Amino acid sequence: MYTFDYNYPDSIGRVKPYYGNFGINVRAYTYIRTMGPDGLKLVTEYAVLNANYMMRKLQEAYDLPFDQVCKHEFVLSGNRQKKLGVRTVDIAKRLLDHNFHPPTVYFPLIVGEAIMIEPTETESKETLDSFIDTMLKIAKEAEENPEIVQEAPHSTYVKRLDETRAARKPILRYQKEV
């Protein structure tokens, strides 16, 4: 039987809790118990299927740096769009106009203008197709009317922020406008 032994008076003590974030662990455990072994296997297969389906549908409009079967996520590159003056961050902002939360951008760092897409296992084919259609539309806009993508978002309450100013002079608390 294993037990924890903290009786080391000359050590610096525990550096962090061994068990991690309790709330996250409860959520993960609940999900695993709810799905069961067969359910977990099925949703894993759906995650892989969804990612590969989306990757193949988008590979003609965006650069695909790793042209291989993927697991649950894949990476595109917006280098083709960047040559037209549209950066990956512009594509992410334009997705907001279509009510999609943007995927992870600029990661992994080894891919220029990276867009890492990780469709969840529970998304319907209709939702996947809607996202694909939106990404294809944005790629077409980048070719035909790059300004609409560069100035996005257009429909959100908060418009595009000045990224340089936000990084150099962040507003860290609410300030009532006069």
Side-chain angles (χ1 to χ4, degrees):
M1 178 159 165
Y2 296 99
T3 61
F4 291 109
D5 183 3
Y6 300 111
N7 189 16
Y8 291 93
D10 294 331
S11 78
I12 62 169
R14 287 186 356 184
V15 175
K16 66 176 187 162
Y18 175 77
Y19 298 110
N21 184 309
F22 180 75
I24 298 300
N25 289 337
V26 169
R27 287 182 190 98
Y29 181 71
T30 302
Y31 182 76
I32 290 167
R33 294 290 297 182
T34 301
M35 298 303 290
D38 294 337
L40 282 175
K41 184 177 186 296
L42 186 63
V43 295
T44 302
E45 290 169 352
Y46 280 140
V48 172
L49 179 66
N50 289 350
N52 281 281
Y53 172 74
M54 291 181 75
M55 179 178 67
R56 293 300 172 206
K57 291 285 190 174
L58 293 171
Q59 72 181 7
E60 297 301 319
Y62 296 88
D63 293 337
L64 184 61
F66 308 107
D67 191 5
Q68 59 193 26
V69 174
C70 66
K71 297 296 182 194
H72 66 286
E73 64 190 12
F74 63 99
V75 177
L76 297 174
S77 172
N79 279 332
R80 188 181 315 174
Q81 289 72 22
K82 187 176 183 180
K83 291 176 186 171
L84 303 170
V86 174
R87 299 175 305 150
T88 293
V89 70
D90 301 328
I91 295 167
K93 301 287 186 187
R94 187 68 176 131
L95 281 168
L96 295 172
D97 287 332
H98 296 278
N99 296 316
F100 284 106
H101 188 284
T104 301
V105 295
Y106 299 117
F107 184 83
L109 299 175
I110 61 171
V111 176
E113 298 296 310
I115 308 168
M116 185 169 62
I117 299 174
E118 185 176 2
T120 64
E121 64 277 2
T122 57
E123 294 295 346
S124 67
K125 184 173 181 300
E126 292 77 23
T127 302
L128 298 177
D129 286 337
S130 179
F131 182 83
I132 291 165
D133 292 343
T134 301
M135 287 291 287
L136 295 174
K137 179 181 178 187
I138 293 169
K140 190 173 182 104
E141 288 174 344
E143 293 174 7
E144 298 173 357
N145 188 6
E147 295 82 22
I148 197 166
V149 184
Q150 293 164 337
E151 297 168 2
H154 303 280
S155 63
T156 58
Y157 179 74
V158 176
K159 301 304 177 206
R160 184 170 294 224
L161 303 174
D162 179 343
E163 296 170 34
T164 304
R165 195 172 118 220
R168 292 189 178 153
K169 294 184 179 182
I171 300 171
L172 302 176
R173 60 185 172 86
Y174 175 75
Q175 298 173 357
K176 186 175 181 180
E177 291 183 27
V178 181

